[in-house]
Amino acid sequence: MILQFEIDEQHKDMRLDEFFYLHGISKKLVKDSRNHGEILVNGEKQYLCYKTVTGDSVAIVFPKETSHVIPVDIPLKVVYEDDYLMIIDKQPNLACIPVKKYLTESLGNAIMYYYQANHIESAIHLVNRLDKETSGLMMIAKSRYVHDAFSHDIKQVKRVYHALVKGNPGQGTVNAPIDHAEGHGTKREVKEGGKEAITHYRTIKTTKDYSLVECKLETGRTHQIRVHMAYLGCPLVGDPLYGEGEGFYLDSVEIAFKHPITQQCMTLKKVFNDVRIKKIKS
């Protein structure tokens, strides 16, 4: 990936590294680009200590990315894609990243297969992650730069979920910190001193025993919706970790963000097994 800039009066007499930091490129990525990519000014290689001049054409060529993830032909539903990122609709019961238990049965394997089939040179960069059992919209960055643009503040990415829960929680906001549950490897719980976790929720439909609830996240803690709904006394129906059963419904139905390259405000929303895309120029 290459980023190009034209130096204006406001950014003259700056060191190149300082100029890149100002534009959201991390120090590590600038260093790696110096060592394994290219730093160019007016088409010629240049040192990071170079002072910019009005009218300079500056480019940073990021190093080629590689990955050890094994490519596997697993169905991958891509609902939006450009040169910098893509949005996929993940199927339920698929782990996001390969681990010892799911070395060749993860979303990462599917993405790597897709990359190789489409000649995309990138490692796996998941901007947001979903639990293995959770389905729905996820953002995949095609470079470290795009991933870094979101990862330093996940609140930039607005996420909306639908969940089937027991009872009727009504509507409101849960602002309760989440931490590891003592004595359990994967379970979380609301715990004083844990990480900030904020979930806004409202009941969409309800029956005698169950409700379909919409949840909007301000933070992205592991199992956040599952923990907060259980905290309210309305665990997800079939959640074996926070209630009882062998499978639950939790779907990422909407994702909204400002594109780090085009600066467009984008919203993708699932509607009856389809995805609608809305773009607004910033």
Side-chain angles (χ1 to χ4, degrees):
M1 179 180 173
I2 303 173
L3 284 184
Q4 293 183 304
F5 307 90
E6 194 79 18
I7 301 299
D8 56 20
E9 282 291 318
Q10 183 181 355
H11 298 100
K12 68 178 182 180
D13 297 324
M14 291 185 67
R15 284 175 54 107
L16 284 177
D17 51 3
E18 294 173 346
F19 176 80
F20 292 140
Y21 303 154
L22 185 66
H23 286 80
I25 306 173
S26 69
K27 291 184 179 181
K28 188 176 187 310
L29 186 50
V30 170
K31 181 180 178 180
D32 288 348
S33 299
R34 178 198 64 191
N35 294 335
H36 306 292
E38 287 187 309
I39 306 296
L40 304 174
V41 177
N42 302 321
E44 301 291 331
K45 288 187 177 181
Q46 194 53 265
Y47 294 105
L48 290 172
C49 61
Y50 173 86
K51 292 290 190 71
T52 56
V53 176
T54 302
D56 274 347
S57 177
V58 172
I60 179 169
V61 182
F62 299 130
K64 181 180 178 180
E65 295 190 34
T66 59
S67 174
H68 297 295
V69 174
I70 301 169
V72 181
D73 188 6
I74 298 171
L76 185 68
K77 186 176 180 181
V78 179
V79 298
Y80 173 82
E81 183 176 14
D82 58 32
D83 291 338
Y84 310 103
L85 57 86
M86 63 184 186
I87 307 296
I88 61 102
D89 187 2
K90 173 187 168 298
Q91 61 265 51
N93 301 312
L94 182 67
C96 280
I97 57 174
V99 292
K100 188 175 182 180
K101 188 177 180 180
Y102 306 109
L103 189 61
T104 59
E105 301 172 8
S106 75
L107 179 63
N109 301 113
I111 293 170
M112 188 51 59
Y113 184 90
Y114 181 86
Y115 280 176
Q116 290 195 1
N118 291 277
H119 310 290
I120 299 169
E121 295 183 348
S122 177
I124 307 297
H125 301 289
L126 308 182
V127 175
N128 65 309
R129 295 188 185 185
L130 301 178
D131 296 341
K132 176 177 179 285
E133 300 85 353
T134 303
S135 60
L137 302 178
M138 286 183 61
M139 183 192 298
I140 316 299
K142 290 185 177 180
S143 71
R144 285 170 57 187
Y145 171 72
V146 173
H147 184 259
D148 288 349
F150 291 109
S151 62
H152 73 275
D153 183 10
I154 191 61
K155 291 181 181 180
Q156 298 176 80
V157 183
K158 306 301 181 184
R159 293 145 292 148
V160 181
Y161 295 77
H162 283 176
L164 186 65
V165 306
K166 290 185 177 181
N168 182 356
Q171 68 177 51
T173 296
V174 181
N175 186 346
I178 291 176
D179 206 344
H180 289 272
E182 190 172 345
H184 199 289
T186 57
K187 192 173 183 179
R188 266 61 171 179
E189 64 182 4
V190 170
K191 183 187 294 186
E192 186 176 351
K195 293 181 179 179
E196 179 187 40
I198 302 173
T199 305
H200 307 286
Y201 64 92
R202 69 180 183 92
T203 299
I204 302 172
K205 295 180 181 179
T206 189
T207 65
K208 180 181 178 181
D209 299 313
Y210 309 124
S211 295
L212 180 65
V213 176
E214 178 182 272
C215 297
K216 296 183 179 181
L217 302 185
E218 282 196 27
T219 51
R221 307 304 173 204
T222 299
H223 298 177
Q224 180 171 322
I225 292 172
R226 298 165 65 186
V227 172
H228 276 173
M229 289 298 103
Y231 178 70
L232 292 174
C234 298
L236 271 62
V237 176
D239 189 338
L241 199 56
Y242 300 98
E244 56 184 16
E246 297 181 355
F248 55 86
Y249 171 73
L250 180 59
D251 194 18
S252 171
V253 298
E254 184 176 335
I255 190 168
F257 56 94
K258 186 175 182 179
H259 197 294
I261 306 299
T262 68
Q263 301 303 306
Q264 286 182 314
C265 294
M266 302 182 63
T267 300
L268 292 92
K269 186 174 183 179
K270 293 177 67 171
V271 182
F272 301 111
N273 294 321
D274 195 6
V275 177
R276 296 180 183 176
I277 303 173
K278 182 179 180 182
K279 297 182 183 179
I280 302 174
K281 287 186 179 181
S282 178

